[in-house]
């Protein structure tokens, strides 16, 4: 759905000019996986590395955006889809700003992730944080799995709601603990280099 009576205003400072000034191309690194799979931890770790390399970055964290941008949304299936739609649109704006946007969201629906991929295009890099639910439950620092098992949280991904494992993620990292955080991050940065992110 689009607003009526609006026309897109084209900026004189283009994405290409911003990227040239930054020395790197913009992209969306979309981290997806179960709660407790390490999405936020890895996204922030990768951002630290990229920041150290002089890159313009920003992390959209699932919990953080619900304090403001998506604070009006529930956790129903429809609301979660709207949550992902908003982040997709925000990520697209950040691409135009010449920024490498990192997003850490469960984003359980393949359909929702595909919509963002279609919106963003070739700049979308899906990163699946592959971690068994047993390990995620052991981590459970927020106590969410325990509450979900007790029936206190409805529609909880992996317990009472499905998670669609990515069909063709650009990057799959084992975040169960068999690889170090640094190894996972280097895999992602190697992918960015291979895609010619640095100018």
């Amino acid at each position: 759905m689009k607003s009526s009576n609006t026309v897109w205003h084209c900026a004189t400072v283009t994405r290409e000019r911003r990227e040239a000034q930054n020395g790197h191309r913009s992209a969306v690194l979309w981290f997806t996986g179960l709660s407790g799979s390490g999405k936020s931890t890895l996204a922030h770790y990768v951002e630290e590395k990229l920041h150290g390399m002089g890159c313009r970055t920003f992390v959209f964290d699932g919990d953080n955006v619900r304090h403001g941008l998506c604070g009006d949304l529930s956790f129903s299936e429809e609301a979660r889809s709207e949550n992902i739609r908003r982040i997709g649109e925000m990520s697209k704006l950040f691409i135009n700003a010449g920024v490498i946007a990192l997003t850490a969201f469960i984003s359980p629906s393949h359909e929702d992730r595909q919509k963002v991929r279609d919106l963003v295009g070739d700049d979308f890099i899906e990163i699946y944080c592959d971690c068994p639910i047993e390990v995620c439950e052991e981590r459970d620092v927020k106590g969410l799995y325990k509450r979900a098992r007790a029936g206190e949280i409805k529609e909880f991904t992996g317990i009472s709601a499905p998670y669609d494992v990515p069909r063709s993620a650009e990057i799959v990292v084992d975040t169960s603990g068999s690889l170090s955080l640094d190894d996972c991050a280097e895999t992602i940065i190697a992918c960015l280099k291979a895609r010619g992110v640095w100018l």
Side-chain angles (χ1 to χ4, degrees):
M1 181 175 177
K2 295 183 179 179
S3 300
S4 59
N5 302 317
T6 60
V7 178
W8 185 266
H9 183 83
C10 295
T12 56
V13 179
T14 64
R15 168 185 173 177
E16 289 73 22
R17 289 174 65 188
R18 296 185 181 105
E19 289 179 332
Q21 186 177 61
N22 293 341
H24 65 80
R25 302 186 193 283
S26 50
V28 173
L29 306 185
W30 192 276
F31 293 78
T32 178
L34 294 171
S35 177
S37 62
K39 300 179 299 299
S40 292
T41 300
L42 182 54
H44 283 284
Y45 191 83
V46 170
E47 184 188 33
E48 280 287 352
K49 281 191 165 288
L50 292 174
H51 183 75
M53 299 166 75
C55 296
R56 309 290 186 198
T57 61
F58 191 81
V59 175
F60 291 97
D61 181 82
D63 281 352
N64 290 356
V65 299
R66 283 184 175 271
H67 283 275
L69 177 64
C70 298
D72 60 322
L73 298 176
S74 68
F75 286 90
S76 68
E77 184 177 347
E78 295 77 14
R80 295 182 81 174
S81 290
E82 172 61 14
N83 184 54
I84 296 305
R85 186 196 71 79
R86 292 183 190 182
I87 298 308
E89 291 288 352
M90 185 64 70
S91 297
K92 185 178 180 182
L93 292 175
F94 269 60
I95 283 179
N96 287 332
V99 175
I100 297 175
L102 304 90
T103 76
F105 295 85
I106 295 173
S107 49
S109 165
H110 169 75
E111 182 180 355
D112 290 340
R113 296 193 303 265
Q114 186 61 46
K115 286 179 181 177
V116 179
R117 181 184 288 276
D118 292 341
L119 176 70
V120 173
D122 293 338
D123 301 308
F124 183 87
I125 302 172
E126 188 174 38
I127 302 166
Y128 173 41
C129 295
D130 186 7
C131 185
I133 192 168
E134 295 80 13
V135 176
C136 294
E137 288 196 64
E138 287 174 7
R139 294 172 177 170
D140 202 13
V141 294
K142 301 174 185 175
L144 299 178
Y145 280 101
K146 186 176 181 179
R147 292 178 59 200
R149 293 281 187 193
E152 297 175 13
I153 302 177
K154 305 300 181 184
E155 300 183 72
F156 189 81
T157 304
I159 303 297
S160 51
Y163 176 78
D164 298 334
V165 173
R167 301 170 187 174
S168 55
E170 282 74 15
I171 304 172
V172 178
V173 286
D174 182 347
T175 54
S176 66
S178 61
L179 295 175
S180 70
L181 194 58
D182 200 62
D183 286 339
C184 292
E186 286 303 321
T187 296
I188 294 166
I189 290 172
C191 176
L192 294 180
K193 290 178 178 177
R195 291 171 70 101
V197 167
W198 280 271
L199 299 176

